[in-house]
Amino acid sequence: MQFTELGLSAELLRAIGEQGYTTPTPVQQQAIPHILAGRDLEALAQTGTGKTAAFVLPLLQRLSQAPSGQTSSPLQKLTHTAPRVLVLVPTRELAAQVLASVRTYGAHTGLRALAVFGGVGINPQIQSLRRGIDILVATPGRLLDHLGQRTVDLSKVQTLVLDEADRMFDMGFIRDIRRIIEKLPKVRQNLMFSATFAAEVRELAHAVLQNPALVEVARRNAPAELVTHTVIKVDKEQKRDVLLHLFAAHGWHQVLVFCRTKHGADALTRKLEQSGVRSAALHGNKSQNARTRALADFKAGKLAALVATDIAARGLDIDSLPRVVNFELPNVPEDYVHRIGRTGRAGASGEALSLVSSDERIQLRDIERLLKREIESSILPGFEPQHTHAVPRPSAGRPPAHKPAPARNRSSSGRPGAPRPARAGGGAAKPASHHSGQRHR
Ligand code: AMP
């Protein structure tokens, strides 16, 4: 299917063409006709599926087709400043990204959009709201601030979008969302996007959506399909050196590196910077400006590494990221899937490389259970782990898949000139059928 078959206007097709897109993604193919028809929608689609354009494009179209929706008299025209589309999102980053999409796809429509979120001054937002907008993208907390100060009027909202609804639950926004919904006109279109259909998401869907069309798309970044997973077994104290070594040896750029804690992310960023790897940390303690700048620099290729915590990185829209490194494994196996969802996008292949120390073997086992496969593991010559990695394997009867290689003396000459992780346990120790034989490059 082509975009031209979806009934979108020439202005939108032009903007889509400027982005180089020709084929709508599955969620776009399925959702756009329903949204254009004015229906409510419940969509199971995670970041990376093209879900943002799936709601932004048809909503832009509906707004441009009814530009005079609220301006039936000249007097009303003068006061026509209130948003007609409200998009609620869980994080500032997502708000900025959705706004960027609205501006990109709406470049030739003349529609006005604004994002309001916390962590930045409220006054510029108030000025922009006064000037008038068509589409408002907001995080719940800051929108409630505006409602409290009466600096936003939601009485003209025709369409409500709840984006990443499951995350809004995770982050405790449900009460805020309900309070916001109370301020909206009762008759309106409702669209809900969520990566999961957890019970509470269903409950909200039930309360908010009227006879919704259902759209469910497979994960774009299904872990087993597009992404090569690799584990390098290493002692905890050696992780930084291994990471530096990999950057130097492979000339890596644009690597998203995950740490478990903000403190750990800061410490690693400092170490990378000291060693000449241009890096920035992305986590919740950074100011909004610092986060925006870090992300922009990373996207522009000015940084070799963006060191992030799980919360900060969720929902980041970074195109065709070749590599994600788990400096530490997440405690929750689902977070591994979210992390690697940053790579292997839009059909491009990607690599998820995890540095795993012996104290993380339980997390690794849980991740493998979730993925329903074992992850190929390697040992980097010169960085052989001294601590045992004996992992309780999920299935009995198999030989241990990742025996630690015999420890060698570490010496500068032992460092590989053309580094390549050695296969763990030696070829004979494990049946060839267990692993695909892929190596990380
Ligand atoms: P999203 O799921 O909205 O976060 O989008 C993921 C990425 O896919 C974004 O970087 C979009 O720019 C990109 N994208 C959206 N629609 C298409 C399309 N039809 N073809 C190719 N890339 C797309």
Side-chain angles (χ1 to χ4, degrees):
M1 182 190 254
Q2 300 291 300
F3 269 110
T4 44
E5 295 167 59
L6 283 170
L8 295 170
S9 67
E11 291 80 24
L12 294 176
L13 290 175
R14 192 172 143 206
I16 293 166
E18 284 163 359
Q19 292 305 300
Y21 307 155
T22 49
T23 318
T25 65
V27 68
Q28 291 162 3
Q29 291 183 21
Q30 293 176 49
I32 288 175
H34 291 305
I35 301 175
L36 280 178
R39 261 192 91 168
D40 279 13
L41 182 90
E42 182 176 2
L44 185 69
Q46 60 165 202
T47 302
T49 53
K51 68 177 170 66
T52 314
F55 64 83
V56 168
L57 287 167
L59 292 179
L60 285 167
Q61 169 116 341
R62 279 169 65 77
L63 288 177
S64 358
Q65 280 173 346
S68 58
Q70 302 161 49
T71 56
S72 48
S73 78
L75 186 64
Q76 269 181 302
K77 197 163 202 158
L78 286 174
T79 57
H80 170 199
T81 56
R84 289 176 287 160
V85 167
L86 172 64
V87 184
L88 288 180
V89 296
T91 63
R92 312 157 184 185
E93 278 80 13
L94 190 59
Q97 286 169 16
V98 171
L99 178 70
S101 292
V102 170
R103 294 205 165 135
T104 301
Y105 302 127
H108 309 296
T109 61
L111 292 165
R112 299 155 303 171
L114 175 71
V116 299
F117 45 78
V120 295
I122 199 166
N123 286 333
Q125 296 176 354
I126 294 174
Q127 305 297 327
S128 303
L129 284 165
R130 275 206 196 115
R131 282 195 294 273
I133 50 164
D134 300 292
I135 299 176
L136 180 62
V137 185
T139 53
R142 180 52 67 93
L143 184 59
L144 282 173
D145 291 344
H146 281 287
L147 281 167
Q149 296 189 28
R150 299 181 184 280
T151 46
V152 67
D153 169 12
L154 298 183
S155 69
K156 303 292 188 294
V157 170
Q158 297 164 355
T159 303
L160 168 70
V161 183
L162 296 171
D163 195 11
E164 303 206 353
D166 51 339
R167 283 205 64 207
M168 293 207 270
F169 273 102
D170 291 349
M171 297 175 71
F173 286 141
I174 182 62
R175 279 222 196 106
D176 290 353
I177 291 171
R178 289 188 193 278
R179 282 173 61 199
I180 291 165
I181 288 177
E182 279 169 18
K183 308 282 184 208
L184 303 179
K186 296 283 166 284
V187 178
R188 55 171 201 269
Q189 182 182 30
N190 301 286
L191 314 175
M192 185 159 145
F193 289 78
S194 182
T196 66
F197 275 160
E200 62 271 28
V201 176
R202 290 207 157 276
E203 208 175 292
L204 182 70
H206 195 70
V208 174
L209 306 174
Q210 300 277 324
N211 184 28
L214 293 177
V215 164
E216 191 172 336
V217 296
R219 289 175 187 275
R220 178 87 162 263
N221 312 297
E225 289 167 22
L226 291 171
V227 178
T228 307
H229 305 254
T230 315
V231 160
I232 294 183
K233 301 211 159 174
V234 58
D235 285 338
K236 204 183 185 94
E237 319 69 72
Q238 290 274 302
K239 282 190 176 186
R240 287 179 182 184
D241 288 336
V242 165
L243 188 63
L244 282 171
H245 171 79
L246 291 169
F247 269 100
H250 300 283
W252 279 354
H253 65 282
Q254 275 197 321
V255 180
L256 186 57
V257 181
F258 280 98
C259 287
R260 261 202 300 258
T261 65
K262 298 167 189 171
H263 176 73
D266 279 334
L268 182 61
T269 304
R270 278 196 300 274
K271 173 87 178 170
L272 288 168
E273 280 275 302
Q274 279 162 12
S275 309
V277 178
R278 289 221 50 199
S279 315
L282 188 78
H283 57 64
N285 284 2
K286 295 274 170 191
S287 70
Q288 184 56 36
N289 276 348
R291 289 159 75 166
T292 308
R293 193 173 54 239
L295 190 59
D297 285 351
F298 185 64
K299 283 186 174 187
K302 291 185 197 161
L303 296 177
L306 187 64
V307 184
T309 56
D310 288 287
I311 290 285
R314 283 256 193 128
L316 285 185
D317 174 17
I318 303 169
D319 270 344
S320 52
L321 200 56
R323 183 168 292 104
V324 167
V325 170
N326 296 304
F327 186 75
E328 291 154 331
L329 288 181
N331 284 329
V332 184
E334 283 78 11
D335 278 343
Y336 179 88
V337 178
H338 285 294
R339 287 179 176 190
I340 65 156
R342 313 269 69 78
T343 182
R345 287 211 169 170
S349 64
E351 184 190 5
L353 178 68
S354 305
L355 305 184
V356 179
S357 49
S358 57
D359 57 318
E360 295 175 303
R361 61 188 188 277
I362 303 294
Q363 284 99 315
L364 178 61
R365 185 201 59 194
D366 290 347
I367 289 164
E368 290 180 325
R369 279 185 179 162
L370 182 72
L371 298 180
K372 297 192 174 60
R373 57 179 277 196
E374 288 177 20
I375 300 177
E376 181 188 359
S377 81
S378 323
I379 285 168
L380 202 58
F383 298 98
E384 293 83 357
Q386 310 293 307
H387 302 294
T388 177
H389 270 84
V391 179
R393 307 309 301 181
S395 48
R398 286 182 179 175
H402 310 305
K403 269 198 205 161
R408 287 190 219 154
N409 283 338
R410 199 164 288 144
S411 69
S412 54
S413 62
R415 300 273 164 95
R420 205 173 41 150
R423 298 291 293 272
K430 80 194 153 175
S433 60
H434 272 191
H435 295 297
S436 62
Q438 289 161 313
R439 292 178 175 195
H440 91 275
R441 283 178 296 276

